[in-house]
Amino acid sequence: LGVGWLALLAEAPPSSDCVVFGIHPRGFAGHMARSPQVTRYYLECPPGDDPDNWSHDRVWSELHERLAADGARPLIEGELIEKRVLAMHNYVVEPMAYGRLYLVGDAAHLLAPIGAK
C-alpha cells in the first residue's frame, strides 16, 4: 500500500514565488522553487510506478492540469533533468512510546513532499 510521488527536477524558472500544492481528482501535485533556474515538482502516482512511464509531454500535461487554478500563473516548462518515484507509506506508529522512549517529530509521522528530502 501507500502512495508514489514522481519527483521531478526541471531546468525551468519557478512559476511562482511560493510553494504551490494542487489537490486534483487525478492526484496531488507540488511546485517548489529550488533556484532562479531550477524548479522541483511532485506528482502523485501509483506506488512502484516506473519513471519511464512519464514522458516529457505527460509530465507537463499532468502538472498543468493538477496545478491549474483561477488566477494562477502559467507554468514555465523546461527540460526534465531528474525523474524518480519515491515510495511513501501511509501508516501510523502506535503507540508512539515504548517505555520511557517517545517517538516525536519526524520519527512519529511522515513528512510532506516539501520536507521529504
Side-chain angles (χ1 to χ4, degrees), residues 21-58:
F21 293 125
I23 306 297
H24 190 274
R26 293 202 302 242
F28 169 87
H31 164 287
M32 295 113 197
R34 288 292 177 251
S35 77
Q37 298 84 25
V38 176
T39 304
R40 166 76 65 194
Y41 291 98
Y42 291 96
L43 284 168
E44 183 178 342
C45 66
D49 201 352
D50 186 341
D52 291 335
N53 292 336
W54 293 83
S55 68
H56 175 91
D57 291 338
R58 181 180 180 201

CSV table of all heavy atoms in Angstrom, one decimal, residues 21-58:
chain,number,residue,atom,x,y,z
A,21,PHE,N,0.7,23.8,-3.9
A,21,PHE,CA,0.2,22.4,-3.9
A,21,PHE,C,-1.1,22.4,-4.6
A,21,PHE,O,-1.9,23.3,-4.5
A,21,PHE,CB,0.0,22.0,-2.4
A,21,PHE,CG,1.2,21.9,-1.6
A,21,PHE,CD1,1.3,22.5,-0.4
A,21,PHE,CD2,2.2,21.0,-2.0
A,21,PHE,CE1,2.5,22.4,0.4
A,21,PHE,CE2,3.4,20.9,-1.2
A,21,PHE,CZ,3.5,21.6,0.0
A,22,GLY,N,-1.3,21.3,-5.4
A,22,GLY,CA,-2.6,21.1,-6.1
A,22,GLY,C,-3.2,19.8,-5.7
A,22,GLY,O,-2.6,18.8,-5.7
A,23,ILE,N,-4.5,19.9,-5.3
A,23,ILE,CA,-5.3,18.7,-5.0
A,23,ILE,C,-6.2,18.5,-6.2
A,23,ILE,O,-7.0,19.4,-6.4
A,23,ILE,CB,-6.1,18.8,-3.7
A,23,ILE,CG1,-5.1,19.2,-2.5
A,23,ILE,CG2,-6.8,17.6,-3.4
A,23,ILE,CD1,-4.1,18.2,-2.2
A,24,HIS,N,-6.1,17.4,-6.8
A,24,HIS,CA,-6.9,17.2,-8.1
A,24,HIS,C,-7.5,15.8,-8.0
A,24,HIS,O,-6.9,14.9,-7.4
A,24,HIS,CB,-5.9,17.4,-9.3
A,24,HIS,CG,-6.6,17.4,-10.6
A,24,HIS,ND1,-6.9,16.2,-11.3
A,24,HIS,CD2,-7.0,18.4,-11.3
A,24,HIS,CE1,-7.5,16.6,-12.4
A,24,HIS,NE2,-7.6,17.9,-12.5
A,25,PRO,N,-8.6,15.5,-8.7
A,25,PRO,CA,-9.1,14.2,-8.7
A,25,PRO,C,-8.1,13.1,-9.2
A,25,PRO,O,-8.2,11.9,-8.8
A,25,PRO,CB,-10.3,14.2,-9.7
A,25,PRO,CG,-10.8,15.6,-9.6
A,25,PRO,CD,-9.5,16.5,-9.4
A,26,ARG,N,-7.1,13.5,-10.0
A,26,ARG,CA,-6.1,12.6,-10.5
A,26,ARG,C,-4.9,12.5,-9.6
A,26,ARG,O,-4.0,11.7,-9.8
A,26,ARG,CB,-5.7,13.0,-11.9
A,26,ARG,CG,-6.8,12.8,-12.9
A,26,ARG,CD,-6.3,12.7,-14.3
A,26,ARG,NE,-5.6,13.7,-14.9
A,26,ARG,CZ,-5.9,14.5,-15.9
A,26,ARG,NH1,-7.1,14.3,-16.5
A,26,ARG,NH2,-5.1,15.4,-16.4
A,27,GLY,N,-4.9,13.3,-8.5
A,27,GLY,CA,-3.8,13.2,-7.5
A,27,GLY,C,-3.2,14.5,-7.2
A,27,GLY,O,-3.5,15.5,-7.8
A,28,PHE,N,-2.3,14.5,-6.2
A,28,PHE,CA,-1.6,15.6,-5.7
A,28,PHE,C,-0.6,16.1,-6.7
A,28,PHE,O,0.0,15.3,-7.5
A,28,PHE,CB,-0.9,15.2,-4.4
A,28,PHE,CG,0.1,16.2,-3.9
A,28,PHE,CD1,-0.3,17.2,-3.1
A,28,PHE,CD2,1.4,16.1,-4.2
A,28,PHE,CE1,0.6,18.1,-2.6
A,28,PHE,CE2,2.4,17.0,-3.8
A,28,PHE,CZ,2.0,18.0,-2.9
A,29,ALA,N,-0.2,17.4,-6.7
A,29,ALA,CA,0.9,17.9,-7.4
A,29,ALA,C,1.5,19.0,-6.6
A,29,ALA,O,0.8,19.7,-5.8
A,29,ALA,CB,0.4,18.5,-8.8
A,30,GLY,N,2.8,19.2,-6.7
A,30,GLY,CA,3.5,20.2,-6.0
A,30,GLY,C,4.5,20.9,-6.8
A,30,GLY,O,5.1,20.4,-7.8
A,31,HIS,N,4.8,22.2,-6.5
A,31,HIS,CA,5.7,23.1,-7.2
A,31,HIS,C,6.6,23.8,-6.1
A,31,HIS,O,6.0,24.4,-5.2
A,31,HIS,CB,4.9,24.1,-8.0
A,31,HIS,CG,5.7,25.3,-8.5
A,31,HIS,ND1,6.2,26.3,-7.7
A,31,HIS,CD2,6.2,25.6,-9.7
A,31,HIS,CE1,6.8,27.2,-8.4
A,31,HIS,NE2,6.8,26.8,-9.6
A,32,MET,N,7.9,23.6,-6.2
A,32,MET,CA,8.8,24.3,-5.2
A,32,MET,C,10.0,24.8,-5.9
A,32,MET,O,10.7,24.1,-6.6
A,32,MET,CB,9.3,23.2,-4.2
A,32,MET,CG,8.2,22.7,-3.3
A,32,MET,SD,8.0,21.0,-3.6
A,32,MET,CE,6.4,20.7,-2.9
A,33,ALA,N,10.3,26.1,-5.8
A,33,ALA,CA,11.4,26.7,-6.4
A,33,ALA,C,12.7,26.2,-5.7
A,33,ALA,O,12.7,26.0,-4.5
A,33,ALA,CB,11.4,28.2,-6.2
A,34,ARG,N,13.7,25.9,-6.5
A,34,ARG,CA,15.0,25.4,-6.0
A,34,ARG,C,16.1,26.5,-6.2
A,34,ARG,O,17.0,26.6,-5.4
A,34,ARG,CB,15.4,24.1,-6.6
A,34,ARG,CG,14.6,22.9,-6.1
A,34,ARG,CD,14.9,22.7,-4.6
A,34,ARG,NE,14.2,21.6,-4.0
A,34,ARG,CZ,13.2,21.8,-3.1
A,34,ARG,NH1,12.9,23.0,-2.8
A,34,ARG,NH2,12.5,20.8,-2.7
A,35,SER,N,16.0,27.2,-7.3
A,35,SER,CA,16.9,28.3,-7.7
A,35,SER,C,16.2,29.1,-8.7
A,35,SER,O,15.1,28.8,-9.2
A,35,SER,CB,18.2,27.7,-8.2
A,35,SER,OG,18.1,27.3,-9.5
A,36,PRO,N,16.8,30.2,-9.1
A,36,PRO,CA,16.2,31.0,-10.2
A,36,PRO,C,16.0,30.3,-11.5
A,36,PRO,O,15.2,30.7,-12.4
A,36,PRO,CB,17.1,32.2,-10.3
A,36,PRO,CG,17.8,32.4,-9.0
A,36,PRO,CD,18.0,30.9,-8.5
A,37,GLN,N,16.7,29.2,-11.7
A,37,GLN,CA,16.7,28.5,-13.0
A,37,GLN,C,16.1,27.0,-12.8
A,37,GLN,O,16.0,26.3,-13.8
A,37,GLN,CB,18.1,28.4,-13.6
A,37,GLN,CG,18.7,29.7,-14.0
A,37,GLN,CD,19.4,30.3,-12.8
A,37,GLN,OE1,19.9,29.6,-11.9
A,37,GLN,NE2,19.5,31.6,-12.9
A,38,VAL,N,15.9,26.6,-11.6
A,38,VAL,CA,15.5,25.2,-11.4
A,38,VAL,C,14.3,25.1,-10.5
A,38,VAL,O,14.2,25.8,-9.5
A,38,VAL,CB,16.7,24.3,-10.8
A,38,VAL,CG1,16.2,22.9,-10.5
A,38,VAL,CG2,17.9,24.3,-11.8
A,39,THR,N,13.4,24.2,-10.8
A,39,THR,CA,12.1,24.0,-10.0
A,39,THR,C,11.9,22.5,-9.8
A,39,THR,O,12.2,21.7,-10.6
A,39,THR,CB,10.9,24.6,-10.8
A,39,THR,OG1,11.1,26.0,-11.1
A,39,THR,CG2,9.6,24.5,-9.9
A,40,ARG,N,11.5,22.2,-8.5
A,40,ARG,CA,11.2,20.9,-8.1
A,40,ARG,C,9.7,20.7,-8.3
A,40,ARG,O,8.9,21.6,-7.9
A,40,ARG,CB,11.6,20.6,-6.7
A,40,ARG,CG,11.1,19.4,-6.0
A,40,ARG,CD,11.7,18.1,-6.5
A,40,ARG,NE,13.1,18.0,-6.1
A,40,ARG,CZ,13.9,17.1,-6.6
A,40,ARG,NH1,13.4,16.2,-7.5
A,40,ARG,NH2,15.2,17.0,-6.3
A,41,TYR,N,9.2,19.6,-8.8
A,41,TYR,CA,7.8,19.3,-9.0
A,41,TYR,C,7.6,17.9,-8.4
A,41,TYR,O,8.5,17.0,-8.4
A,41,TYR,CB,7.4,19.3,-10.4
A,41,TYR,CG,7.4,20.6,-11.1
A,41,TYR,CD1,8.4,21.0,-11.9
A,41,TYR,CD2,6.3,21.5,-10.9
A,41,TYR,CE1,8.4,22.3,-12.5
A,41,TYR,CE2,6.3,22.7,-11.5
A,41,TYR,CZ,7.4,23.1,-12.3
A,41,TYR,OH,7.3,24.3,-12.9
A,42,TYR,N,6.4,17.6,-7.9
A,42,TYR,CA,5.9,16.3,-7.5
A,42,TYR,C,4.6,16.0,-8.1
A,42,TYR,O,3.7,16.9,-8.2
A,42,TYR,CB,5.8,16.2,-6.0
A,42,TYR,CG,7.1,16.3,-5.2
A,42,TYR,CD1,7.5,17.5,-4.7
A,42,TYR,CD2,7.8,15.2,-5.0
A,42,TYR,CE1,8.7,17.6,-4.0
A,42,TYR,CE2,9.0,15.2,-4.3
A,42,TYR,CZ,9.5,16.5,-3.8
A,42,TYR,OH,10.7,16.5,-3.1
A,43,LEU,N,4.4,14.8,-8.5
A,43,LEU,CA,3.1,14.3,-9.0
A,43,LEU,C,2.8,13.0,-8.2
A,43,LEU,O,3.6,12.1,-8.2
A,43,LEU,CB,3.1,14.0,-10.5
A,43,LEU,CG,3.0,15.2,-11.4
A,43,LEU,CD1,3.4,14.8,-12.9
A,43,LEU,CD2,1.7,15.9,-11.3
A,44,GLU,N,1.6,12.9,-7.7
A,44,GLU,CA,1.2,11.6,-7.1
A,44,GLU,C,1.0,10.6,-8.2
A,44,GLU,O,0.5,10.9,-9.3
A,44,GLU,CB,-0.1,11.8,-6.4
A,44,GLU,CG,-0.6,10.6,-5.6
A,44,GLU,CD,-1.9,10.8,-4.9
A,44,GLU,OE1,-2.3,12.0,-4.6
A,44,GLU,OE2,-2.5,9.8,-4.6
A,45,CYS,N,1.5,9.4,-8.0
A,45,CYS,CA,1.4,8.3,-9.0
A,45,CYS,C,1.2,7.0,-8.2
A,45,CYS,O,1.4,6.9,-7.0
A,45,CYS,CB,2.7,8.3,-9.8
A,45,CYS,SG,4.2,7.9,-9.0
A,46,PRO,N,1.0,5.9,-8.9
A,46,PRO,CA,0.8,4.6,-8.3
A,46,PRO,C,2.2,4.2,-7.6
A,46,PRO,O,3.2,4.5,-8.2
A,46,PRO,CB,0.5,3.6,-9.4
A,46,PRO,CG,0.0,4.5,-10.5
A,46,PRO,CD,0.7,5.8,-10.4
A,47,PRO,N,2.1,3.6,-6.4
A,47,PRO,CA,3.4,3.1,-5.8
A,47,PRO,C,4.1,2.1,-6.8
A,47,PRO,O,3.4,1.3,-7.4
A,47,PRO,CB,2.9,2.5,-4.5
A,47,PRO,CG,1.4,2.3,-4.6
A,47,PRO,CD,0.9,3.2,-5.7
A,48,GLY,N,5.4,2.3,-6.8
A,48,GLY,CA,6.2,1.4,-7.7
A,48,GLY,C,6.1,1.7,-9.2
A,48,GLY,O,6.7,1.0,-10.0
A,49,ASP,N,5.5,2.8,-9.5
A,49,ASP,CA,5.4,3.2,-10.9
A,49,ASP,C,6.8,3.4,-11.5
A,49,ASP,O,7.8,3.7,-10.7
A,49,ASP,CB,4.6,4.5,-11.0
A,49,ASP,CG,4.1,4.8,-12.4
A,49,ASP,OD1,4.4,4.0,-13.4
A,49,ASP,OD2,3.3,5.8,-12.6
A,50,ASP,N,7.0,3.3,-12.7
A,50,ASP,CA,8.3,3.4,-13.4
A,50,ASP,C,8.4,4.8,-13.9
A,50,ASP,O,7.5,5.3,-14.7
A,50,ASP,CB,8.4,2.4,-14.5
A,50,ASP,CG,9.7,2.4,-15.2
A,50,ASP,OD1,10.5,3.4,-15.1
A,50,ASP,OD2,10.0,1.4,-15.9
A,51,PRO,N,9.4,5.6,-13.6
A,51,PRO,CA,9.6,6.9,-14.1
A,51,PRO,C,9.6,7.0,-15.6
A,51,PRO,O,9.2,8.0,-16.2
A,51,PRO,CB,10.9,7.4,-13.6
A,51,PRO,CG,11.2,6.5,-12.4
A,51,PRO,CD,10.5,5.2,-12.7
A,52,ASP,N,10.0,5.9,-16.3
A,52,ASP,CA,10.0,5.9,-17.8
A,52,ASP,C,8.5,5.9,-18.3
A,52,ASP,O,8.4,6.2,-19.5
A,52,ASP,CB,10.7,4.7,-18.3
A,52,ASP,CG,12.2,4.8,-18.0
A,52,ASP,OD1,12.7,5.9,-17.9
A,52,ASP,OD2,12.9,3.7,-17.9
A,53,ASN,N,7.5,5.6,-17.5
A,53,ASN,CA,6.1,5.8,-17.9
A,53,ASN,C,5.7,7.2,-18.1
A,53,ASN,O,4.6,7.5,-18.6
A,53,ASN,CB,5.2,5.1,-16.9
A,53,ASN,CG,5.4,3.6,-16.9
A,53,ASN,OD1,5.8,3.0,-17.9
A,53,ASN,ND2,5.0,3.0,-15.8
A,54,TRP,N,6.5,8.1,-17.6
A,54,TRP,CA,6.2,9.5,-17.6
A,54,TRP,C,7.0,10.3,-18.6
A,54,TRP,O,8.1,10.8,-18.3
A,54,TRP,CB,6.4,10.1,-16.2
A,54,TRP,CG,5.4,9.5,-15.2
A,54,TRP,CD1,5.5,8.3,-14.6
A,54,TRP,CD2,4.1,10.1,-14.9
A,54,TRP,NE1,4.4,8.1,-13.8
A,54,TRP,CE2,3.5,9.2,-14.0
A,54,TRP,CE3,3.5,11.2,-15.2
A,54,TRP,CZ2,2.3,9.4,-13.4
A,54,TRP,CZ3,2.2,11.5,-14.7
A,54,TRP,CH2,1.6,10.6,-13.8
A,55,SER,N,6.5,10.4,-19.8
A,55,SER,CA,7.2,11.2,-20.9
A,55,SER,C,7.2,12.7,-20.5
A,55,SER,O,6.4,13.1,-19.7
A,55,SER,CB,6.5,11.0,-22.2
A,55,SER,OG,5.2,11.6,-22.2
A,56,HIS,N,8.0,13.5,-21.2
A,56,HIS,CA,8.0,14.9,-21.0
A,56,HIS,C,6.6,15.5,-21.2
A,56,HIS,O,6.2,16.3,-20.4
A,56,HIS,CB,9.0,15.5,-22.1
A,56,HIS,CG,9.0,17.0,-22.1
A,56,HIS,ND1,9.9,17.7,-21.3
A,56,HIS,CD2,8.3,17.9,-22.7
A,56,HIS,CE1,9.7,19.0,-21.5
A,56,HIS,NE2,8.7,19.2,-22.4
A,57,ASP,N,5.9,15.1,-22.3
A,57,ASP,CA,4.6,15.6,-22.6
A,57,ASP,C,3.6,15.2,-21.5
A,57,ASP,O,2.8,16.0,-21.1
A,57,ASP,CB,4.1,15.1,-23.9
A,57,ASP,CG,4.9,15.8,-25.1
A,57,ASP,OD1,5.5,16.9,-24.9
A,57,ASP,OD2,4.9,15.2,-26.2
A,58,ARG,N,3.7,14.0,-21.0
A,58,ARG,CA,2.7,13.5,-20.0
A,58,ARG,C,2.9,14.3,-18.7
A,58,ARG,O,2.0,14.7,-18.0
A,58,ARG,CB,2.9,12.0,-19.8
A,58,ARG,CG,1.9,11.5,-18.7
A,58,ARG,CD,2.0,10.0,-18.5
A,58,ARG,NE,1.1,9.5,-17.5
A,58,ARG,CZ,1.2,8.4,-16.8
A,58,ARG,NH1,2.2,7.6,-17.0
A,58,ARG,NH2,0.3,8.1,-15.9
